[in-house]
Each structure stands twice: as C-alpha cells, then as structure tokens.
Amino acid sequence: MSNNLTVHPKGLYVLFFTEMWERFSYYGMRAIFVLYLAAKATGVNPGVGWEKADALALYGWYTMMVYVLAVPGGIIADRLLGQKKTVMLGGILLCIGHFILALDSLQAFYVGCVFIVLGVGALKPNISSMVGSLYKRNDPNRTKGFTLFYIGINIGAFSAPLLVGYVGETINWHYGFGLAGIGMLLGQAVYIWGQKYLKGIGEFVPKQLDAQSGRIAKVPLTKIEKDRMIVLGLTFLIAIVFWGAYEQAGGLMNLFTKESINRSVGSFTVPTSWFQALHAFYVILIGVPVAFIWNQLRKKGKPNSTIFKMGVGTIVTGLGFVFLAKAAYDASTLTSGQASMLWVLAAYLLHVIGELSISPVILNFITKLAPIKYVSMMMGLYFCASGLGNKLAGVLGEAAFEDSSPFAIFVGITVFCVVFGTLLIVLVKKLNALTHGADVEIESDPVEAA
Ligand code: PHE
C-alpha cells in the first residue's frame, strides 16, 4: 500500500518520537514494577521483598492512577497552559520521576512514582490531542496520522520490556529504571528540538471574557455540541468494556499462560513475560494493513463510521476469548494439563485487530467531536475511562481465581463483548446522527489518500 509519509505535517514525527520514548520509559518501568517489589531483599540484585499480592495491589492502583490523572492534565491544558506547554511540563516531571527511581531506596520509589503519575497525566492526553490539531477536522490523512502515532507508541511499548526488563531483571533494578529515564530524556530532547514544527499547535486558547463582569463568559453548549458530548459519553463506556477485556493480558492471561500453556519450543521454554510484548509486536506488524483495509472499505462506501469500527472491534476482541476458552477447556481435560500456545497467539492477534479498530480511532474521534474548548478535558476523561477498564480487568481476573474459573471468565467476556458490540452496530445509524457529520472524512486527493 502507498501510505505516503510526506503528506503528514513534520510535527507528527516530533510527536511520534516524543511519545515513542515516553511509552518506552513507561512500559519499561511497568515491566519491572512488580518484579522489583516482589524480588527478595537479599542477593546480588536485591528487590524490596514484598508479598506478590501487595506488589500487585500497588501495581493496580498505580496503572489506574496514571490514567485517572489525565483528567486534571487535560483541565490544566484547557484552562491554564495549553496542550503544548502541559506536555513540556509532563515530560520534565517524567524525567525527574524516572531518575528518582534509579535511586536505591523504597522512599525514592514512592516519590518517583508520584512524579510519574503526574507526568503521564500531564503528557499523555495532551500529546494525543495535539496530533489531532495537526490536521483539519475532516482530513482523511488525520486517521492515518493517528495510526502512525499509535505505531510509535507500540515501538516504545515493544522494545521497553525487552531492554529495560533485561537490564533490570538480570543486572540491577535501578539500572533498569535509569535506562527508562534515559529513554524519557531522549523523548524530551526531541520535543524541545521539534518546537519549531509545532507552531500554533496546542496553544492556550483564552476563554471569552464577559464584557461587563470581566469574568469568563459561560457560553452554553449548542444542541449539536450536546449531542456530540452524549456520543463521547458512550465512547467512554465502550472504552471501559474494551480495556476491561483487553487488559486481561497482563493479569489473568499472564498467569493462565504461565500455568496452563505448553510454552516449550523444542528444548526451549518461552518465558511467560515474552507474551507481554506480543500486543505491541502485532500492532507494529498489522497496524498499517488494518488501517488500510478500513480505508479501502470507506472508499467503497461500506459502513465505516467510528462507532461501527468500535462495534466491530469489540466483537473481534470478544471472539479472541473463544480461543482462550478452548485453551482453558483443553488444559482442564488433557492429561498434561497444558494447552497449545497457538491458542494464546491467536487470541492476542484478535485482540490487536480489535484494538486497532478502537484505540487509535477513539483518539481521532475525540479530537473531532469535542468542542475545541473541551478537547483536552474529554481526552483526559477517555484516559480515565481506560484506567477504570484496567481496574475492571483486574477485578475480573481476581474472580477467575476466587469464586469463578478462567474458563467461565473467558466465556463470559466473549458473550458480553459480542452482545455489546452487536448492539452498537444495530444502533450505529442513530448514534451517527448524533455526531452531526463530525465523523465524515472528505476525500481531498484520492491518489494521496490511498
Ligand atoms: N498501548 C496504548 C498506549 O499505551 C494503551 C492505552 C490506550 C493506554 C488508551 C491508555 C489509554 O497508549
């Protein structure tokens, strides 16, 4: 396919590399977070020596908080600084946070985490909104811009567990955290250097002042804006459902893979943690082809609205769990007690096809639908919803080991996602009407856009 990279503004590449390094630092530290806390406090590479459950509990809160803090991150951008400066501030907080983690002390670990939570909250929603600002609202290259940006995210997410994980686990935890910090420093350097390509993007837009009182005039939302906000609210619900299913990866699917999947390839046993790099690997592999297929369908006039894609994505993700249900069934019936790893590979593939039909698309959708003065706040709310999805995933995962079973949870997620996604598709026309045309892409140049 010809995805002509020159059609994108240079600013996209600045944001691409900044976010790639930010995600490298984030996923790098995340990869060793629980391992460090749960590692014995003695020996050559001492950890903190916590119980696994305690380490997991802190991890759950931490991964939720980084995205919940995206809400104040968005509000600060809307009300005070603009997105560009808030991203700069977030980057500084992240550099400080990661380097504090490189210090060998538990107190430093807590302080470093606080900086990271604040830093991701300031950076992540606002850098995503800035991608949208690089394009006109109905430019077809805009969708491709978000796809490329998403691939950048995943290059960082894929390489980090391999590099930071290796250094942290086998050499020294704090060198690992330090390496994540160097990644963030590179991201910040790219962002500072690239300011010249971001002129007029993500600037602070002062609110209209009331002529008489001198206070901020409370311009009410129009009917169209209100309708679009309703659709965005539904989008957040979809985000909770989708991430609640998808994020089983790090928890239940991870433990299930460790215990119930045959990971031997000849004489080699694939480490369980390697499966955690699969999502990002698949995104890099099929990110562009999936976007291409959606684009071809759009050109052929097939249903292609964002809501439709989200419906399909939810169903496909749900169907991925059929493979896991089969694996759970095999594991409980085969004498070896272990199912083939092909089921897991297939499940992750379907999850990523679902992800690519939902996640980059939602980022784009928010920047198209939200009234300009609320873009950052709505982006923040979306990340918050994804944080709640992460927490939901944890709760479902715990249930699999308490009153339920992995098989029942996998079947339950399949049914729920398929019904929910089908409902979205059934309602697609009504919901699209509420967007009042904001989701329509105009084909400016059919050759370029291919
Ligand atoms: N891989 C995505 C990212 O790190 C996952 C994600 C999506 C995280 C949405 C938060 C919100 O950006």
Side-chain angles (χ1 to χ4, degrees):
M1 68 173 282
S2 69
N3 189 351
N4 189 348
L5 298 182
T6 53
V7 299
H8 298 287
K10 289 211 176 71
L12 178 69
Y13 299 102
V14 174
L15 301 180
F16 176 105
F17 285 109
T18 306
E19 178 62 342
M20 181 189 89
W21 283 117
E22 186 270 331
R23 291 287 91 183
F24 174 90
S25 66
Y26 175 71
Y27 282 107
M29 78 86 61
R30 220 178 90 147
I32 53 174
F33 189 101
V34 279
L35 300 179
Y36 163 66
L37 288 176
K40 285 200 203 81
T42 51
V44 267
N45 186 16
V48 182
W50 279 11
E51 292 295 326
K52 284 197 188 70
D54 294 336
L56 279 171
L58 184 63
Y59 175 79
W61 285 112
Y62 172 72
T63 49
M64 187 179 115
M65 285 313 288
V66 284
Y67 295 131
V68 168
L69 264 276
V71 178
I75 294 176
I76 288 173
D78 279 339
R79 304 247 168 109
L80 274 179
L81 296 178
Q83 293 144 359
K84 188 155 56 182
K85 284 196 187 135
T86 315
V87 169
M88 187 70 85
L89 175 69
I92 295 170
L93 291 170
L94 282 168
C95 290
I96 297 174
H98 282 292
F99 285 116
I100 292 181
L101 290 190
L103 304 174
D104 185 3
S105 114
L106 187 58
Q107 277 72 21
F109 185 79
Y110 291 137
V111 176
C113 285
V114 170
F115 272 92
I116 292 175
V117 163
L118 295 171
V120 174
L123 186 144
K124 183 87 166 112
N126 293 311
I127 198 166
S128 313
S129 306
M130 284 173 74
V131 174
S133 313
L134 293 167
Y135 303 85
K136 291 211 178 74
R137 279 208 163 191
N138 53 10
D139 182 345
N141 290 320
R142 184 189 171 94
T143 309
K144 284 184 217 131
F146 272 102
T147 303
L148 283 175
F149 180 71
Y150 209 73
I151 289 175
I153 285 178
N154 283 281
I155 295 175
F158 172 68
S159 48
L162 303 179
L163 292 171
V164 174
Y166 177 79
V167 171
E169 229 180 314
T170 59
I171 305 173
N172 183 300
W173 300 112
H174 301 283
Y175 291 175
F177 291 129
L179 181 58
I182 291 174
M184 189 56 230
L185 211 55
L186 289 173
Q188 191 69 359
V190 171
Y191 191 65
I192 293 171
W193 167 84
Q195 290 295 302
K196 52 181 176 276
Y197 298 115
L198 297 170
K199 294 224 168 80
I201 304 295
E203 307 288 358
F204 176 60
V205 184
K207 299 277 177 291
Q208 283 167 272
L209 291 188
D210 183 84
Q212 279 182 355
S213 66
R215 296 198 176 163
I216 292 174
K218 292 214 175 61
V219 187
L221 290 181
T222 62
K223 159 94 176 68
I224 291 184
E225 286 176 330
K226 276 190 195 148
D227 282 353
R228 289 177 177 165
M229 290 295 231
I230 294 173
V231 180
L232 285 178
L234 175 75
T235 305
F236 300 153
L237 183 65
I238 300 171
I240 297 179
V241 171
F242 171 73
W243 293 110
Y246 179 96
E247 291 292 349
Q248 295 300 325
L252 172 58
M253 282 168 67
N254 205 358
L255 291 175
F256 176 76
T257 304
K258 187 173 170 63
E259 280 162 21
S260 308
I261 295 295
N262 178 358
R263 289 176 285 113
S264 313
V265 181
S267 58
F268 179 68
T269 304
V270 181
T272 310
S273 58
W274 281 19
F275 286 82
Q276 294 304 305
L278 264 179
H279 272 155
F281 174 73
Y282 278 137
V283 173
I284 298 166
L285 201 69
I286 63 167
V288 172
V290 169
F292 176 74
I293 291 169
W294 279 118
N295 196 33
Q296 289 304 101
L297 290 174
R298 177 172 64 85
K299 283 200 207 153
K300 290 194 182 135
K302 298 268 189 295
N304 193 262
S305 65
T306 302
I307 308 261
F308 182 77
K309 286 183 197 169
M310 293 195 281
V312 172
T314 311
I315 295 175
V316 174
T317 305
L319 292 178
F321 283 91
V322 173
F323 294 115
L324 293 170
K326 164 76 176 137
Y329 175 78
D330 281 2
S332 61
T333 50
L334 295 175
T335 42
S336 66
Q338 288 197 322
S340 160
M341 78 165 87
L342 292 180
W343 300 122
V344 179
L345 296 183
Y348 273 105
L349 178 62
L350 261 67
H351 290 176
V352 168
I353 296 176
E355 173 186 2
L356 287 167
S357 308
I358 293 185
S359 185
V361 169
I362 288 190
L363 298 180
N364 188 5
F365 197 52
I366 294 170
T367 63
K368 285 197 275 192
L369 253 70
I372 293 193
K373 58 186 172 196
Y374 292 131
V375 170
S376 321
M377 193 181 85
M378 296 313 270
M379 195 59 99
L381 280 173
Y382 163 61
F383 284 104
C384 180
S386 81
L388 297 180
N390 273 267
K391 195 86 184 97
L392 171 68
V395 172
L396 290 174
E398 274 172 40
F401 294 107
E402 286 167 355
D403 352 300
S404 186
S405 68
F407 177 79
I409 294 289
F410 293 147
V411 172
I413 295 178
T414 306
V415 173
F416 191 85
C417 286
V418 171
V419 171
F420 187 82
T422 310
L423 212 65
L424 284 177
I425 292 178
V426 169
L427 292 176
V428 90
K429 275 210 175 118
K430 286 209 171 102
L431 295 170
N432 279 345
L434 289 178
T435 67
H436 297 276
D439 197 25
V440 177
E441 288 180 353
I442 292 171
E443 201 65 77
S444 48
D445 179 343
V447 180
E448 291 275 271

Short mmCIF file of all heavy atoms in Angstrom, two decimals, residues 84-134:
data_model
loop_
_atom_site.label_atom_id
_atom_site.label_comp_id
_atom_site.label_asym_id
_atom_site.label_seq_id
_atom_site.Cartn_x
_atom_site.Cartn_y
_atom_site.Cartn_z
N LYS A 84 0.51 22.28 24.49
CA LYS A 84 1.94 22.20 24.19
C LYS A 84 2.79 22.35 25.45
O LYS A 84 3.72 21.59 25.71
CB LYS A 84 2.29 23.27 23.17
CG LYS A 84 3.69 23.12 22.67
CD LYS A 84 3.93 23.70 21.29
CE LYS A 84 3.57 25.14 21.14
NZ LYS A 84 3.80 25.57 19.75
N LYS A 85 2.44 23.35 26.26
CA LYS A 85 3.23 23.60 27.47
C LYS A 85 2.98 22.52 28.51
O LYS A 85 3.88 22.16 29.29
CB LYS A 85 2.87 24.96 28.07
CG LYS A 85 3.48 26.08 27.30
CD LYS A 85 3.44 27.36 28.12
CE LYS A 85 3.89 28.52 27.26
NZ LYS A 85 3.05 29.68 27.39
N THR A 86 1.74 21.98 28.55
CA THR A 86 1.45 20.94 29.55
C THR A 86 2.24 19.67 29.22
O THR A 86 2.71 18.98 30.12
CB THR A 86 -0.07 20.65 29.62
OG1 THR A 86 -0.77 21.88 29.64
CG2 THR A 86 -0.43 19.87 30.86
N VAL A 87 2.41 19.38 27.92
CA VAL A 87 3.23 18.22 27.54
C VAL A 87 4.68 18.45 27.99
O VAL A 87 5.33 17.56 28.52
CB VAL A 87 3.16 17.98 26.00
CG1 VAL A 87 4.21 16.97 25.56
CG2 VAL A 87 1.77 17.50 25.61
N MET A 88 5.15 19.67 27.81
CA MET A 88 6.53 20.00 28.22
C MET A 88 6.69 19.77 29.73
O MET A 88 7.64 19.13 30.18
CB MET A 88 6.81 21.47 27.88
CG MET A 88 8.21 21.93 28.09
SD MET A 88 9.34 21.21 26.90
CE MET A 88 9.18 22.31 25.51
N LEU A 89 5.71 20.27 30.48
CA LEU A 89 5.74 20.10 31.93
C LEU A 89 5.71 18.62 32.30
O LEU A 89 6.48 18.15 33.15
CB LEU A 89 4.53 20.83 32.53
CG LEU A 89 4.31 20.68 34.03
CD1 LEU A 89 5.41 21.39 34.79
CD2 LEU A 89 2.95 21.25 34.45
N GLY A 90 4.82 17.87 31.64
CA GLY A 90 4.72 16.43 31.91
C GLY A 90 6.04 15.73 31.65
O GLY A 90 6.49 14.89 32.43
N GLY A 91 6.70 16.10 30.56
CA GLY A 91 7.98 15.48 30.21
C GLY A 91 9.02 15.74 31.28
O GLY A 91 9.79 14.85 31.66
N ILE A 92 9.04 16.98 31.80
CA ILE A 92 10.02 17.32 32.86
C ILE A 92 9.74 16.47 34.10
O ILE A 92 10.65 15.86 34.69
CB ILE A 92 9.96 18.83 33.19
CG1 ILE A 92 10.41 19.64 31.97
CG2 ILE A 92 10.82 19.15 34.41
CD1 ILE A 92 10.17 21.15 32.08
N LEU A 93 8.46 16.39 34.49
CA LEU A 93 8.10 15.59 35.68
C LEU A 93 8.51 14.13 35.47
O LEU A 93 8.99 13.46 36.39
CB LEU A 93 6.59 15.66 35.93
CG LEU A 93 6.05 17.02 36.38
CD1 LEU A 93 4.52 17.03 36.35
CD2 LEU A 93 6.54 17.32 37.80
N LEU A 94 8.32 13.63 34.24
CA LEU A 94 8.66 12.23 33.97
C LEU A 94 10.17 11.98 34.04
O LEU A 94 10.61 10.97 34.58
CB LEU A 94 8.13 11.83 32.59
CG LEU A 94 6.63 11.54 32.58
CD1 LEU A 94 6.09 11.44 31.17
CD2 LEU A 94 6.34 10.25 33.34
N CYS A 95 10.95 12.92 33.50
CA CYS A 95 12.41 12.75 33.58
C CYS A 95 12.82 12.69 35.05
O CYS A 95 13.58 11.81 35.48
CB CYS A 95 13.14 13.90 32.89
SG CYS A 95 12.97 13.89 31.10
N ILE A 96 12.30 13.64 35.86
CA ILE A 96 12.65 13.66 37.28
C ILE A 96 12.22 12.35 37.93
O ILE A 96 13.00 11.69 38.63
CB ILE A 96 11.97 14.86 37.99
CG1 ILE A 96 12.46 16.17 37.41
CG2 ILE A 96 12.23 14.81 39.51
CD1 ILE A 96 11.73 17.42 37.95
N GLY A 97 10.98 11.93 37.67
CA GLY A 97 10.44 10.71 38.30
C GLY A 97 11.27 9.49 37.98
O GLY A 97 11.63 8.71 38.88
N HIS A 98 11.61 9.31 36.72
CA HIS A 98 12.36 8.11 36.34
C HIS A 98 13.75 8.10 36.97
O HIS A 98 14.23 7.05 37.41
CB HIS A 98 12.46 8.00 34.83
CG HIS A 98 11.19 7.48 34.22
ND1 HIS A 98 10.76 6.18 34.41
CD2 HIS A 98 10.25 8.07 33.46
CE1 HIS A 98 9.62 6.00 33.77
NE2 HIS A 98 9.27 7.14 33.20
N PHE A 99 14.38 9.28 37.03
CA PHE A 99 15.72 9.28 37.63
C PHE A 99 15.66 9.09 39.15
O PHE A 99 16.57 8.51 39.73
CB PHE A 99 16.52 10.51 37.20
CG PHE A 99 16.99 10.36 35.78
CD1 PHE A 99 16.55 11.20 34.78
CD2 PHE A 99 17.83 9.29 35.43
CE1 PHE A 99 16.95 11.01 33.45
CE2 PHE A 99 18.23 9.08 34.12
CZ PHE A 99 17.78 9.95 33.12
N ILE A 100 14.57 9.51 39.78
CA ILE A 100 14.44 9.24 41.22
C ILE A 100 14.32 7.72 41.43
O ILE A 100 14.88 7.16 42.38
CB ILE A 100 13.22 9.98 41.81
CG1 ILE A 100 13.48 11.49 41.78
CG2 ILE A 100 12.94 9.52 43.25
CD1 ILE A 100 12.36 12.33 42.37
N LEU A 101 13.64 7.03 40.51
CA LEU A 101 13.51 5.57 40.64
C LEU A 101 14.87 4.88 40.52
O LEU A 101 15.03 3.75 40.98
CB LEU A 101 12.59 5.01 39.55
CG LEU A 101 11.11 5.32 39.62
CD1 LEU A 101 10.36 4.47 38.62
CD2 LEU A 101 10.57 5.03 41.01
N ALA A 102 15.79 5.56 39.86
CA ALA A 102 17.11 4.93 39.71
C ALA A 102 17.85 4.89 41.06
O ALA A 102 18.85 4.18 41.20
CB ALA A 102 17.93 5.68 38.67
N LEU A 103 17.35 5.65 42.06
CA LEU A 103 17.99 5.63 43.38
C LEU A 103 17.55 4.39 44.14
O LEU A 103 16.41 3.95 44.03
CB LEU A 103 17.60 6.88 44.18
CG LEU A 103 17.90 8.22 43.51
CD1 LEU A 103 17.32 9.37 44.35
CD2 LEU A 103 19.40 8.39 43.34
N ASP A 104 18.45 3.85 44.93
CA ASP A 104 18.19 2.59 45.60
C ASP A 104 17.52 2.81 46.97
O ASP A 104 18.18 2.70 48.00
CB ASP A 104 19.53 1.85 45.74
CG ASP A 104 19.34 0.47 46.32
OD1 ASP A 104 18.18 0.08 46.56
OD2 ASP A 104 20.36 -0.22 46.54
N SER A 105 16.25 3.16 46.97
CA SER A 105 15.54 3.27 48.25
C SER A 105 14.05 3.20 48.01
O SER A 105 13.55 3.66 46.97
CB SER A 105 15.91 4.60 48.95
OG SER A 105 14.82 5.47 49.04
N LEU A 106 13.30 2.60 48.95
CA LEU A 106 11.86 2.44 48.76
C LEU A 106 11.15 3.80 48.79
O LEU A 106 10.21 4.03 48.03
CB LEU A 106 11.29 1.51 49.84
CG LEU A 106 9.82 1.12 49.65
CD1 LEU A 106 9.58 0.44 48.31
CD2 LEU A 106 9.35 0.21 50.78
N GLN A 107 11.65 4.70 49.65
CA GLN A 107 11.04 6.04 49.71
C GLN A 107 11.18 6.72 48.35
O GLN A 107 10.25 7.34 47.85
CB GLN A 107 11.72 6.93 50.78
CG GLN A 107 11.22 6.73 52.18
CD GLN A 107 11.69 5.39 52.75
OE1 GLN A 107 12.65 4.82 52.28
NE2 GLN A 107 10.99 4.90 53.77
N ALA A 108 12.39 6.57 47.77
CA ALA A 108 12.62 7.18 46.45
C ALA A 108 11.65 6.57 45.44
O ALA A 108 11.14 7.26 44.56
CB ALA A 108 14.06 6.95 46.02
N PHE A 109 11.38 5.27 45.58
CA PHE A 109 10.46 4.60 44.65
C PHE A 109 9.08 5.25 44.71
O PHE A 109 8.49 5.58 43.67
CB PHE A 109 10.37 3.11 45.03
CG PHE A 109 9.55 2.29 44.07
CD1 PHE A 109 10.08 1.86 42.86
CD2 PHE A 109 8.23 1.96 44.36
CE1 PHE A 109 9.32 1.12 41.97
CE2 PHE A 109 7.47 1.21 43.48
CZ PHE A 109 8.02 0.79 42.27
N TYR A 110 8.58 5.48 45.93
CA TYR A 110 7.25 6.12 46.07
C TYR A 110 7.25 7.51 45.45
O TYR A 110 6.34 7.88 44.71
CB TYR A 110 6.85 6.25 47.54
CG TYR A 110 6.56 4.94 48.23
CD1 TYR A 110 7.03 4.70 49.52
CD2 TYR A 110 5.78 3.96 47.62
CE1 TYR A 110 6.75 3.51 50.18
CE2 TYR A 110 5.51 2.77 48.27
CZ TYR A 110 5.99 2.54 49.55
OH TYR A 110 5.71 1.37 50.18
N VAL A 111 8.29 8.29 45.79
CA VAL A 111 8.34 9.67 45.29
C VAL A 111 8.42 9.66 43.77
O VAL A 111 7.72 10.41 43.07
CB VAL A 111 9.55 10.43 45.90
CG1 VAL A 111 9.66 11.83 45.30
CG2 VAL A 111 9.41 10.52 47.42
N GLY A 112 9.26 8.77 43.23
CA GLY A 112 9.40 8.66 41.77
C GLY A 112 8.06 8.33 41.12
O GLY A 112 7.69 8.91 40.10
N CYS A 113 7.31 7.40 41.74
CA CYS A 113 6.00 7.02 41.18
C CYS A 113 5.04 8.21 41.15
O CYS A 113 4.29 8.38 40.19
CB CYS A 113 5.37 5.89 41.98
SG CYS A 113 6.16 4.33 41.67
N VAL A 114 5.07 9.02 42.22
CA VAL A 114 4.18 10.20 42.25
C VAL A 114 4.51 11.13 41.08
O VAL A 114 3.62 11.60 40.36
CB VAL A 114 4.30 10.94 43.61
CG1 VAL A 114 3.56 12.28 43.56
CG2 VAL A 114 3.76 10.07 44.73
N PHE A 115 5.80 11.36 40.85
CA PHE A 115 6.19 12.21 39.72
C PHE A 115 5.72 11.61 38.40
O PHE A 115 5.25 12.31 37.50
CB PHE A 115 7.72 12.37 39.68
CG PHE A 115 8.21 13.52 40.51
CD1 PHE A 115 8.59 13.35 41.84
CD2 PHE A 115 8.29 14.80 39.96
CE1 PHE A 115 9.02 14.41 42.60
CE2 PHE A 115 8.74 15.87 40.71
CZ PHE A 115 9.10 15.68 42.04
N ILE A 116 5.82 10.28 38.28
CA ILE A 116 5.43 9.65 37.01
C ILE A 116 3.92 9.74 36.79
O ILE A 116 3.45 10.04 35.70
CB ILE A 116 5.93 8.18 36.96
CG1 ILE A 116 7.46 8.20 36.88
CG2 ILE A 116 5.35 7.44 35.75
CD1 ILE A 116 8.12 6.86 36.93
N VAL A 117 3.16 9.50 37.86
CA VAL A 117 1.70 9.62 37.75
C VAL A 117 1.32 11.04 37.27
O VAL A 117 0.54 11.22 36.34
CB VAL A 117 1.03 9.29 39.11
CG1 VAL A 117 -0.39 9.78 39.16
CG2 VAL A 117 1.08 7.78 39.37
N LEU A 118 1.95 12.05 37.89
CA LEU A 118 1.66 13.43 37.50
C LEU A 118 2.14 13.70 36.07
O LEU A 118 1.46 14.37 35.28
CB LEU A 118 2.36 14.42 38.45
CG LEU A 118 1.86 14.41 39.91
CD1 LEU A 118 2.77 15.27 40.78
CD2 LEU A 118 0.43 14.94 39.98
N GLY A 119 3.30 13.16 35.75
CA GLY A 119 3.89 13.41 34.43
C GLY A 119 3.07 12.78 33.31
O GLY A 119 2.78 13.43 32.30
N VAL A 120 2.68 11.51 33.48
CA VAL A 120 1.87 10.85 32.43
C VAL A 120 0.53 11.58 32.32
O VAL A 120 0.04 11.83 31.22
CB VAL A 120 1.64 9.34 32.74
CG1 VAL A 120 0.68 8.73 31.73
CG2 VAL A 120 2.96 8.58 32.73
N GLY A 121 -0.03 11.95 33.47
CA GLY A 121 -1.31 12.67 33.46
C GLY A 121 -1.24 13.95 32.65
O GLY A 121 -2.17 14.31 31.93
N ALA A 122 -0.11 14.65 32.75
CA ALA A 122 0.04 15.91 32.02
C ALA A 122 0.36 15.66 30.54
O ALA A 122 -0.11 16.38 29.66
CB ALA A 122 1.13 16.76 32.66
N LEU A 123 1.16 14.63 30.28
CA LEU A 123 1.65 14.45 28.90
C LEU A 123 0.71 13.67 27.99
O LEU A 123 0.39 14.09 26.88
CB LEU A 123 3.03 13.76 28.96
CG LEU A 123 3.76 13.63 27.63
CD1 LEU A 123 5.27 13.80 27.82
CD2 LEU A 123 3.51 12.29 26.95
N LYS A 124 0.23 12.51 28.49
CA LYS A 124 -0.42 11.54 27.59
C LYS A 124 -1.69 12.07 26.89
O LYS A 124 -1.80 11.95 25.68
CB LYS A 124 -0.70 10.27 28.40
CG LYS A 124 -1.31 9.12 27.63
CD LYS A 124 -0.26 8.25 26.99
CE LYS A 124 -0.82 6.93 26.51
NZ LYS A 124 -0.83 6.79 25.06
N PRO A 125 -2.66 12.66 27.62
CA PRO A 125 -3.85 13.09 26.88
C PRO A 125 -3.54 14.25 25.95
O PRO A 125 -4.11 14.35 24.86
CB PRO A 125 -4.81 13.54 28.00
CG PRO A 125 -3.94 13.89 29.14
CD PRO A 125 -2.72 13.00 29.05
N ASN A 126 -2.63 15.12 26.37
CA ASN A 126 -2.41 16.34 25.61
C ASN A 126 -1.60 16.11 24.34
O ASN A 126 -1.84 16.75 23.32
CB ASN A 126 -1.75 17.39 26.50
CG ASN A 126 -2.72 17.82 27.59
OD1 ASN A 126 -3.87 18.13 27.30
ND2 ASN A 126 -2.29 17.77 28.84
N ILE A 127 -0.68 15.17 24.40
CA ILE A 127 0.10 14.90 23.18
C ILE A 127 -0.84 14.26 22.14
O ILE A 127 -0.75 14.52 20.95
CB ILE A 127 1.35 14.04 23.48
CG1 ILE A 127 2.34 14.14 22.33
CG2 ILE A 127 1.02 12.59 23.76
CD1 ILE A 127 3.73 13.63 22.65
N SER A 128 -1.81 13.46 22.63
CA SER A 128 -2.76 12.84 21.70
C SER A 128 -3.65 13.91 21.05
O SER A 128 -3.93 13.85 19.85
CB SER A 128 -3.65 11.82 22.42
OG SER A 128 -2.88 10.97 23.22
N SER A 129 -4.09 14.89 21.86
CA SER A 129 -4.92 15.96 21.29
C SER A 129 -4.13 16.75 20.25
O SER A 129 -4.67 17.19 19.24
CB SER A 129 -5.38 16.93 22.37
OG SER A 129 -6.01 16.24 23.40
N MET A 130 -2.83 16.94 20.52
CA MET A 130 -2.02 17.73 19.59
C MET A 130 -1.92 17.06 18.22
O MET A 130 -1.85 17.73 17.19
CB MET A 130 -0.61 17.97 20.17
CG MET A 130 -0.62 19.03 21.25
SD MET A 130 0.97 19.15 22.07
CE MET A 130 1.94 19.97 20.81
N VAL A 131 -1.91 15.72 18.20
CA VAL A 131 -1.88 15.03 16.91
C VAL A 131 -3.10 15.46 16.09
O VAL A 131 -2.99 15.79 14.91
CB VAL A 131 -1.88 13.48 17.09
CG1 VAL A 131 -2.00 12.77 15.74
CG2 VAL A 131 -0.63 13.03 17.82
N GLY A 132 -4.26 15.50 16.75
CA GLY A 132 -5.48 15.91 16.06
C GLY A 132 -5.38 17.33 15.52
O GLY A 132 -5.84 17.63 14.42
N SER A 133 -4.71 18.21 16.30
CA SER A 133 -4.65 19.63 15.88
C SER A 133 -3.77 19.83 14.65
O SER A 133 -3.80 20.90 14.04
CB SER A 133 -4.06 20.49 17.01
OG SER A 133 -4.67 20.18 18.21
N LEU A 134 -2.98 18.84 14.30
CA LEU A 134 -2.11 18.99 13.13
C LEU A 134 -2.89 18.94 11.83
O LEU A 134 -2.40 19.32 10.78
CB LEU A 134 -1.06 17.85 13.10
CG LEU A 134 0.00 17.85 14.20
CD1 LEU A 134 0.73 16.52 14.21
CD2 LEU A 134 0.99 18.99 13.99
#
